[in-house]
């Protein structure tokens, strides 16, 4: 390969033939955005281009006055020497894989994605390509998500049990994406749904974008002293253990995250419950997606990239690690560490990536 | 299996003892006696001997899941628990079943042990194929003998007492010693009229809490009895129906380890139960615990070892006298009975005594307790006397059950402490799986750091995360699961004892090491040297007056039941 169609630079993934950046981590002239999570969509670039269904959330995230243009899924756009298009990634509302083509050579930057159905966004769609850039957040065979219906039955069962014990149910989930996905599966006959402000702000954007979320109300809109026994409260993980939470007592807290698959990680949190659910691929999905793209080159980024690369090579594929600043899924609701942005990710266990080779420079 | 798994999950998910007790008592009130017996068996830490070799479990899992060795190893590394790793890696089950726990154990699990390899594997595969991930986790833990869940025997006792209405002390007594997990046992536990006839049955041990408050808070010193805290094996010696039984605090029957005690106890009257500490004892003084340890480790007791490491029972309490349970009598009365029983000349049938105190039965001497200052002063002699400190027991207290605050306190001398540098790290297990929490510390010797102590965390969750983060970013090398870490972080390590040891690279072994605190203020150059440690052995260096020594140091992995005399 004389020069790769897409390269990593200190500003992010760059395609020189199109003079475009994909999910840049510093301000650039022209940014193509896979989805609105903060490690992919950063503020400050001149012009943004994203998938049409994701325009609302992106605007909400990086500013109403920003220059944002959007394309319907599948529609192509010629930019300098390349043709780009957006294809559903199944991660959150409006999330996209970005296809970049130059003279018959096709690269796909998948951003974050999952194959499991999600009522808040379009199903992931395989895009044939020569080079596929994939994440590997849950790149270990221990990660295998349960069926969505089983998961929601578990969550609703927990809610019902808490209600019978006179407790409120505090479900901690990403404010953008997971909160809405879970809300869609809640059994509203059990009780009312209240939200943390960070979640409700995005609920509004989702509703404006046409997602039929069940009714929910901001917790802060209730008078002081409101009792929450039997209610479901959805909040970002960073709200956990803060004074905000006290008004919910007696409360049962649960964290909805793929990391909850592992008992040790679940038990380290002083939470009552952990629901293993993620908007990222589990191990079987990663392998299936890679196979469906029919790509001859696989570049693996954030997550267990060294493990996935080694496994793909054993399967006879041409795989390599690609170092980026994307972050995957936050492992823990860190008690008491309230951050400004609920999406700010303090990540554990993803830096396992680049160094499986034994000696690391001090 | 479904009910048992549900119980396990509830207990596993909560840290509140009230919820655990509630879950158990609900379970016990609805389960069959056969299931109940096995449930108690497992909840109280009893195990089936390994049924299937671990290597075979791994191999079978790898084949079923189509995984290479390294991918299995990576998965295990991330999970930190073999039974769980296997449960997560197996392909989803195609069937389901709800066979009661006792049937699983008696008809499926125990028979596995004597099966041919191929049959064993095919059974395993079919069993896994009818269980959910949570059920598989429980099953694998039963198979590997690694089933542990966050309840103490005391809590199980409490739940059973709640279900049956029988008082806790009776239930606790019935749960002691050796029993078979049969329906009759379960029914007997809850039966108000059961005549407990087993001659070997010990009483539950009463355990002391470490003294954290000032002694003045204990009130009038005249209401307390003080004695040395001996460093041996806490034991109960039972003489009933012409037989002797010796139980360790870990509820192991250790009678045959101590023939000299069996011999001496022949002269005790039937219906006697003594509580005390078995010590290696020679020429009128206690020998280091390590000596006793080497003796316990021997499979056969040779004449030489019996000569080299003779033992004595340092008796400090009597629980049964003339066949009566006297645990409700006040402490000072019990001690008087004990003193009369073992007084010189009392054991007249004992030919070796000739009017002397029996050499293998000693009574732990009482210290005069006229003022707290006096006791504080006496306590400073502990190391010289080779004891761990003092025990304080309320003179009018009955003999309790389990670890209770209030009447018995252990008042140990301040531990030794050194400053050492973190040099290796390994991931923890169980609750700490996936975090680097098992540390090795080094001290200086000729410009190099030599490892002297391994300690699991004594740090809080936030510090654990910070150290974990440091380790990941400052790994120099990896050897299997062990990372060599850039030497930089200094910790104060507390420990109870220190000895020469040719088996250790540093030539030194420390006892019960744990992290007292993170010395963020200290550069690694100022950590201690091996010479300082060697001097501690010789007693040349005065103990550092560590201001953290009396703080409650958290160390949850230090439960060395046999070594911890109370």
């Amino acid at each position: 390969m004389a020069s790769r169609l897409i390269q990593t630079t200190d500003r992010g993934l760059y395609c020189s033939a199109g003079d475009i950046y994909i999910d840049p981590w510093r301000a650039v002239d022209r940014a193509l955005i896979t989805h609105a999570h903060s490690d992919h969509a950063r503020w400050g670039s001149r012009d943004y281009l994203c998938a049409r269904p994701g325009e609302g959330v992106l605007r909400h995230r990086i500013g109403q006055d920003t220059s944002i243009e959007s394309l319907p899924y599948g529609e192509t756009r010629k930019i300098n020497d390349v043709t780009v298009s957006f294809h559903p990634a199944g991660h959150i509302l409006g999330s996209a894989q970005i296809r970049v083509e130059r003279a018959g050579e096709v690269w796909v930057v998948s951003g974050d994605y999952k194959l499991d159905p999600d009522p808040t966004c379009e199903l992931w769609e395989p895009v044939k390509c020569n080079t596929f850039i994939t994440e590997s957040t849950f790149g270990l065979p221990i990660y295998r998500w349960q069926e969505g219906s089983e998961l929601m039955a578990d969550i609703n069962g927990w809610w019902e049990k808490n209600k019978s014990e006179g407790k409120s149910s505090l479900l901690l989930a990403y404010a953008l994406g997971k909160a809405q996905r879970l809300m869609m599966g809640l059994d509203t006959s059990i009780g009312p749904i209240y939200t943390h402000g960070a979640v409700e702000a995005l609920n509004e954007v989702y509703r404006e974008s046409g997602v039929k979320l069940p009714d929910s109300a901001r917790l802060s809109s209730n008078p002081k002293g409101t009792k929450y026994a039997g209610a479901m409260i959805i909040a970002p993980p960073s709200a956990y253990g803060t004074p905000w939470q006290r008004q919910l007592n007696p409360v049962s807290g649960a964290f909805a995250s793929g990391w909850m698959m592992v008992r040790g990680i679940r038990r380290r949190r002083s939470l009552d419950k952990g629901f293993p659910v993620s908007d990222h691929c589990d191990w079987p999905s990663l392998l299936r997606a890679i196979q469906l793209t029919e790509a001859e080159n696989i570049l693996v980024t954030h997550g267990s990239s060294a493990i996935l690369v080694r496994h793909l090579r054993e399967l006879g594929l041409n795989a390599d690690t690609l170092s980026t600043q994307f972050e995957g899924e936050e492992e823990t609701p860190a008690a008491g560490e309230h951050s400004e942005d609920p999406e700010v990710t303090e990540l554990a266990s993803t830096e396992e990536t680049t160094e499986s080779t034994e000696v690391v420079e001090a | 299996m479904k009910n048992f798994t549900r119980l396990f999950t509830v207990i596993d998910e909560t840290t509140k003892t009230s919820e655990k007790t509630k879950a158990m008592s609900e379970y016990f009130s609805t389960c069959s006696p056969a299931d109940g017996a096995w449930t108690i068996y497992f909840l109280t830490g009893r195990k089936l001997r390994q049924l299937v070799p671990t290597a075979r479990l791994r191999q079978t899992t790898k084949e079923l899941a189509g995984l290479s060795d390294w991918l299995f190893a990576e998965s295990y590394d991330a999970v930190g628990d073999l039974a769980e790793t296997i449960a997560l890696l197996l392909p989803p089950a195609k069937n389901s079943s709800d066979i009661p726990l006792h049937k699983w154990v008696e008809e499926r699990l125990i028979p596995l042990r004597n099966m041919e390899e191929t049959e064993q594997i095919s059974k395993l595969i079919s069993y896994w194929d009818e269980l959910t991930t949570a059920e598989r986790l429980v099953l694998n833990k039963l198979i590997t003998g690694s089933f542990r869940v966050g309840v103490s025997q005391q809590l199980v006792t409490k739940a059973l007492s709640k279900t049956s209405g029988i008082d806790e002390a009776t239930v606790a007594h019935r749960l002691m010693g050796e029993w078979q997990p049969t329906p009759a046992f379960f029914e007997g536990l809850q039966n108000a009229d059961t005549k407990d006839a087993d001659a070997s049955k010990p009483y539950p041990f009463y355990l002391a809490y470490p003294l954290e408050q000032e002694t003045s808070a204990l009130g009038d010193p005249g209401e307390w009895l003080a004695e040395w805290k001996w460093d041996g094996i806490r034991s109960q010696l039972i003489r009933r129906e012409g037989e002797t039984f010796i139980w360790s605090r870990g509820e192991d029957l250790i009678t045959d380890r101590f023939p000299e005690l069996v011999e001496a106890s022949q002269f005790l009257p039937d219906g006697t139960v003594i509580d005390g500490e078995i010590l290696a004892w020679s020429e009128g003084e206690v020998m280091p615990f390590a000596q006793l340890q080497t003796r316990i480790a021997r499979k056969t007791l040779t004449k030489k070892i019996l000569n080299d490491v003779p033992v004595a029972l340092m008796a400090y309490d009597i629980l049964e006298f003339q066949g009566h349970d006297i645990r409700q009598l006040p402490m000072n009365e019990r001690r008087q009975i004990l003193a009369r029983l073992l007084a010189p000349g009392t054991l007249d049938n004992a030919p070796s005594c000739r009017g002397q105190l029996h050499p293998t039965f000693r009574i732990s001497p009482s210290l005069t307790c006229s003022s707290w200052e006096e006791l504080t002063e006496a306590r400073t002699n502990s190391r010289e006397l080779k004891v761990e400190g003092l025990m304080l027991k309320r003179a009018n207290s009955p003999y309790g059950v389990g670890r209770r605050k209030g009447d018995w306190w252990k008042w140990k001398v301040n531990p030794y402490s050194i400053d050492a540098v973190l040099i290796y790290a390994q991931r923890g297990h169980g609750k700490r799986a996936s975090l680097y929490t098992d540390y090795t510390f080094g001290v200086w010797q000729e410009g190099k750091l030599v490892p002297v102590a391994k300690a699991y965390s004594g740090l809080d969750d936030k510090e654990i995360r910070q150290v974990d983060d440091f380790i990941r970013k400052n790994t120099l090398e990896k050897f299997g699961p062990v990372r060599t870490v850039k030497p930089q972080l200094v910790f104060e390590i507390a420990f109870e004892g220190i000895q020469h040891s040719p088996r250790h690279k540093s030539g030194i072994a420390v006892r019960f090491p744990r992290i007292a605190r993170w010395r963020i203020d200290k550069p690694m150059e100022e950590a201690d040297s091996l010479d300082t440690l060697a001097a501690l052995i010789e007693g040349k260096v005065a103990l550092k007056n560590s201001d953290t020594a009396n703080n409650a140091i958290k160390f949850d992995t230090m439960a060395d039941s046999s070594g911890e005399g109370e």
Side-chain angles (χ1 to χ4, degrees):
Chain A
M1 237 181 288
S3 86
R4 289 176 158 195
L5 184 56
I6 294 173
Q7 288 169 317
T8 39
T9 68
D10 58 354
R11 299 181 161 218
L13 293 177
Y14 179 59
C15 171
S16 57
D19 193 19
I20 49 172
Y21 286 86
I22 296 171
D23 294 351
W25 42 82
R26 284 166 59 182
V28 298
D29 285 346
R30 188 174 260 283
L32 273 59
I33 301 296
T34 60
H35 66 286
H37 277 148
S38 58
D39 56 328
H40 291 263
R42 296 181 200 235
W43 180 86
S45 290
R46 196 191 64 204
D47 298 313
Y48 291 86
L49 184 61
C50 69
R52 177 81 28 100
E55 192 178 332
V57 268
L58 185 61
R59 227 171 247 297
H60 172 80
R61 275 309 175 90
I62 59 175
Q64 294 301 332
D65 306 329
T66 314
S67 152
I68 299 176
E69 208 187 332
S70 65
L71 285 178
Y73 284 132
E75 192 173 305
T76 56
R77 162 80 56 101
K78 181 102 176 135
I79 305 176
N80 298 321
D81 291 344
V82 297
T83 306
V84 301
S85 52
F86 293 81
H87 304 267
H91 179 58
I92 60 168
L93 176 62
S95 66
Q97 311 173 74
I98 298 178
R99 182 185 185 275
V100 181
E101 179 180 357
R102 181 190 59 179
E105 186 188 359
V106 177
W107 285 50
V108 168
V109 180
S110 57
D112 293 338
Y113 67 104
K114 70 170 179 287
L115 272 55
D116 297 335
D118 176 340
T120 64
C121 61
E122 280 195 52
L123 195 63
W124 178 86
E125 152 192 319
V127 182
K128 297 212 182 352
C129 56
N130 303 99
T131 301
F132 184 59
I133 299 180
T134 179
E135 55 136 330
S136 57
T137 307
F138 293 102
L140 267 178
I142 53 170
Y143 296 106
R144 193 172 56 214
W145 313 139
Q146 63 192 129
E147 286 284 322
S149 55
E150 270 176 48
L151 167 81
M152 288 319 302
D154 284 355
I155 294 179
N156 286 319
W158 166 73
W159 183 9
E160 205 138 24
K161 177 172 169 280
N162 294 336
K163 185 187 173 188
S164 74
E165 293 171 359
K167 292 178 189 165
S168 65
S169 302
L170 172 62
L171 184 60
L172 301 162
Y174 270 6
L176 169 52
K178 199 177 289 167
Q180 292 74 27
R181 173 188 173 192
L182 295 177
M183 278 179 68
M184 292 293 276
L186 289 177
D187 177 357
T188 50
S189 69
I190 300 172
I193 302 172
Y194 294 106
T195 49
H196 183 278
V199 172
E200 195 55 34
L202 284 150
N203 285 353
E204 283 160 14
V205 181
Y206 264 60
R207 289 192 181 102
E208 281 162 22
S209 307
V211 180
K212 303 243 173 313
L213 291 178
D215 289 342
S216 61
R218 253 174 237 265
L219 203 72
S220 57
S221 65
N222 294 327
K224 267 216 156 69
T226 305
K227 294 275 180 264
Y228 293 102
M232 169 68 77
I233 295 93
I234 317 238
S238 56
Y240 185 68
T242 60
W244 173 87
Q245 195 191 307
R246 269 183 230 138
Q247 57 189 314
L248 305 176
N249 285 337
V251 60
S252 175
F255 185 32
S257 160
W259 301 112
M260 296 294 108
M261 199 81 198
V262 175
R263 176 170 167 248
I265 297 175
R266 199 164 61 228
R267 276 160 52 87
R268 273 209 306 279
R269 310 290 129 217
S270 55
L271 286 154
D272 300 308
K273 263 292 192 196
F275 296 109
V277 47
S278 180
D279 291 323
H280 295 267
C281 283
D282 59 5
W283 176 259
S285 296
L286 283 171
L287 298 181
R288 194 161 147 249
I290 288 164
Q291 192 192 14
L292 289 171
T293 63
E294 296 174 17
E296 56 262 27
N297 304 305
I298 319 294
L299 294 175
V300 184
T301 170
H302 57 300
S304 304
S305 51
I307 290 168
L308 186 57
V309 165
R310 185 170 171 189
H311 184 70
L312 293 174
R313 285 179 182 169
E314 283 184 355
L315 296 177
L317 292 164
N318 185 16
D320 221 329
T321 306
L322 182 73
S323 183
T324 65
Q325 293 181 14
F326 306 132
E327 291 175 334
E329 180 159 334
E330 162 179 40
E331 184 183 322
T332 64
E337 290 168 26
H338 194 93
S339 65
E340 294 287 311
D341 181 346
E343 287 291 331
V344 164
T345 52
E346 170 220 321
L347 189 69
S349 75
T350 51
E351 89 306 329
E352 295 291 298
T353 53
T354 41
E355 20 89 301
S356 75
T357 34
E358 299 309 329
V359 180
V360 182
E361 194 60 47
Chain B
M1 197 62 155
K2 289 203 184 302
N3 282 336
F4 184 64
T5 302
R6 211 169 294 132
L7 175 67
F8 170 81
T9 309
V10 173
I11 294 174
D12 194 49
E13 281 177 350
T14 181
T15 51
K16 299 185 187 88
T17 52
S18 59
E19 290 193 10
K20 291 178 185 182
T21 318
K22 184 169 157 247
M24 282 189 284
S25 91
E26 276 169 14
Y27 177 92
F28 289 133
S29 60
T30 53
C31 70
S32 70
D35 277 0
W38 279 110
T39 300
I40 296 169
Y41 186 87
F42 293 123
L43 290 184
T44 55
R46 289 166 171 83
K47 295 172 173 40
L48 303 173
R49 214 156 25 89
Q50 176 96 32
L51 298 166
V52 182
T54 309
R56 195 172 295 164
L57 291 170
R58 287 170 186 251
Q59 192 52 38
T60 310
T61 305
K62 281 186 271 191
E63 281 166 20
L64 286 175
L67 299 177
S68 48
D69 291 346
W70 70 268
L71 200 47
F72 183 93
E74 289 282 0
S75 300
Y76 182 26
D77 197 31
V79 176
D81 178 300
L82 184 67
E84 185 185 356
T85 308
I86 292 174
L88 291 171
L89 289 177
L90 290 169
K94 291 188 284 294
N95 308 307
S96 76
S97 73
D98 191 11
I99 295 166
L101 177 67
H102 72 276
K103 288 221 159 119
W104 265 102
V105 177
E106 291 163 13
E107 293 168 21
R108 295 180 149 202
L109 298 186
I110 293 173
L112 279 176
R113 191 184 293 131
N114 297 318
M115 277 179 199
E116 294 287 324
E117 181 173 344
T118 37
E119 194 190 356
Q120 205 181 48
I121 291 172
S122 81
K123 288 283 182 206
L124 260 181
I125 294 174
S126 73
Y127 295 161
W128 278 333
D129 206 26
E130 52 188 75
L131 299 176
T132 64
T133 307
E135 289 161 9
R136 283 171 176 174
L137 170 68
V138 170
L139 184 85
N140 293 346
K141 286 187 165 289
L142 296 182
I143 289 176
T144 55
S146 63
F147 185 88
R148 278 177 58 213
V149 66
V151 292
S152 59
Q153 179 143 338
Q154 207 169 331
L155 209 60
V156 176
T157 306
K158 197 170 176 184
L160 281 165
S161 164
K162 215 171 137 188
T163 319
S164 62
I166 312 276
D167 69 284
E168 282 182 47
T170 307
V171 175
H173 193 194
R174 287 172 179 172
L175 281 175
M176 294 294 286
E178 279 175 350
W179 45 262
Q180 295 303 313
T182 59
F185 170 75
F186 186 75
E187 282 161 350
L189 267 180
Q190 318 214 29
N191 185 343
D193 300 326
T194 307
K195 181 80 193 141
D196 299 309
D198 183 358
S200 76
K201 202 170 275 291
Y203 293 96
F205 284 86
Y206 185 26
L207 308 175
Y209 261 96
L211 185 70
E212 280 154 13
Q213 69 271 51
E214 292 296 318
T215 44
S216 56
L218 298 177
D220 180 0
E223 290 172 7
W224 292 84
L225 300 175
E227 57 188 273
W228 298 115
K229 184 177 183 324
W230 300 98
D231 189 13
I233 299 173
R234 175 84 186 272
S235 304
Q236 240 177 77
L237 185 141
I238 296 170
R239 183 71 186 175
R240 287 183 193 132
E241 299 171 18
E243 264 195 282
T244 298
F245 307 92
I246 304 172
W247 293 92
S248 74
R249 208 197 90 188
E251 279 185 57
D252 288 321
L253 196 54
I254 49 174
T255 320
D256 58 351
R257 311 310 299 157
F258 303 104
E260 53 270 71
L261 292 176
V262 175
E263 157 108 33
S265 64
Q266 289 178 43
F267 306 107
L268 291 173
D270 268 342
T272 303
V273 177
I274 295 173
D275 182 13
E277 198 89 2
I278 294 175
L279 303 172
W281 188 270
S282 173
E283 294 173 10
E285 67 170 20
V286 62
M287 298 161 77
F289 184 76
Q291 299 274 4
L292 189 56
Q293 222 163 13
T294 52
R295 172 168 162 169
I296 304 162
R298 294 293 172 87
K299 277 215 173 75
T300 47
L301 291 169
T302 57
K303 259 210 174 91
K304 184 172 186 316
I305 192 92
L306 288 174
N307 268 327
D308 290 352
V309 191
V311 297
L313 179 70
M314 186 61 80
Y316 41 69
D317 213 326
I318 182 162
L319 316 182
E320 184 176 308
F321 182 57
Q322 294 174 340
H324 296 292
D325 177 354
I326 57 167
R327 288 178 294 162
Q328 292 309 311
L329 289 183
M331 178 80 221
N332 47 7
E333 282 182 39
R334 294 199 310 274
R335 272 206 73 122
Q336 282 164 18
I337 294 170
L338 180 69
R340 280 203 301 277
L341 177 71
L342 297 181
T346 322
L347 302 179
D348 276 340
N349 315 344
S352 61
C353 287
R354 298 178 209 284
Q356 302 282 308
L357 191 62
H358 195 287
T360 28
F361 289 128
R362 322 196 68 88
I363 297 182
S364 178
S366 279
L367 279 71
T368 45
C369 203
S370 53
S371 75
W372 294 121
E373 290 71 30
E374 202 178 315
L375 280 176
T376 309
E377 181 63 30
R379 179 165 156 270
T380 57
N381 297 322
S382 295
R383 282 201 209 282
E384 228 165 274
L385 294 166
K386 296 175 183 150
V387 295
E388 296 181 303
L390 287 175
M391 291 294 305
L392 301 174
K393 298 174 180 176
R394 199 184 288 278
N396 63 4
S397 63
Y399 189 90
V401 170
R403 204 181 288 280
R404 296 284 156 99
K405 282 192 178 170
D407 290 336
W408 280 25
W409 298 100
K410 49 182 169 186
W411 189 21
K412 290 200 194 186
V413 285
N414 291 341
Y416 293 99
S417 88
I418 52 162
D419 293 323
V421 184
L422 174 67
I423 51 177
Y424 308 123
Q426 222 176 320
R427 289 196 195 214
H429 282 84
K431 195 176 168 189
R432 305 204 189 289
S434 85
L435 284 178
Y436 285 87
T437 55
D438 295 4
Y439 312 129
T440 301
F441 299 95
V443 294
W444 294 106
Q445 185 191 27
E446 292 165 5
K448 284 189 184 146
L449 287 163
V450 288
V452 289
K454 268 188 92 140
Y456 307 95
S457 198
L459 303 172
D460 65 26
D461 282 352
K462 192 175 167 201
E463 289 171 327
I464 289 174
R465 277 204 299 273
Q466 288 170 341
V467 175
D468 176 77
D469 190 50
F470 174 86
I471 291 165
R472 288 164 194 270
K473 287 180 180 145
N474 293 280
T475 298
L476 304 177
E477 279 178 286
K478 290 183 185 178
F479 300 99
V482 180
R483 290 186 177 211
T484 305
V485 182
K486 181 181 164 196
Q488 180 177 327
L489 305 187
V490 179
F491 295 85
E492 182 180 317
I493 309 300
F495 51 93
E496 296 301 323
I498 180 163
Q499 272 194 295
H500 288 296
S501 164
R503 286 184 300 136
H504 291 79
K505 197 172 163 188
S506 60
I508 278 175
V510 296
R511 188 144 185 254
F512 286 151
R514 69 266 179 186
I515 300 170
R517 61 176 164 156
W518 186 355
R519 295 296 307 259
I520 295 169
D521 54 316
K522 212 161 212 198
M524 64 162 178
E525 292 75 19
E526 289 176 24
D528 281 313
S529 71
L530 200 56
D531 291 343
T532 318
L533 267 76
L536 283 178
I537 302 182
E538 314 305 332
K540 284 176 195 157
V541 178
L543 280 178
K544 264 187 238 178
N545 199 1
S546 159
D547 49 349
T548 55
N550 263 338
N551 291 350
I553 297 163
K554 282 180 224 151
F555 53 107
D556 52 6
T557 46
M558 295 295 152
D560 178 347
S561 56
S562 62
E564 195 202 6
E566 298 298 332

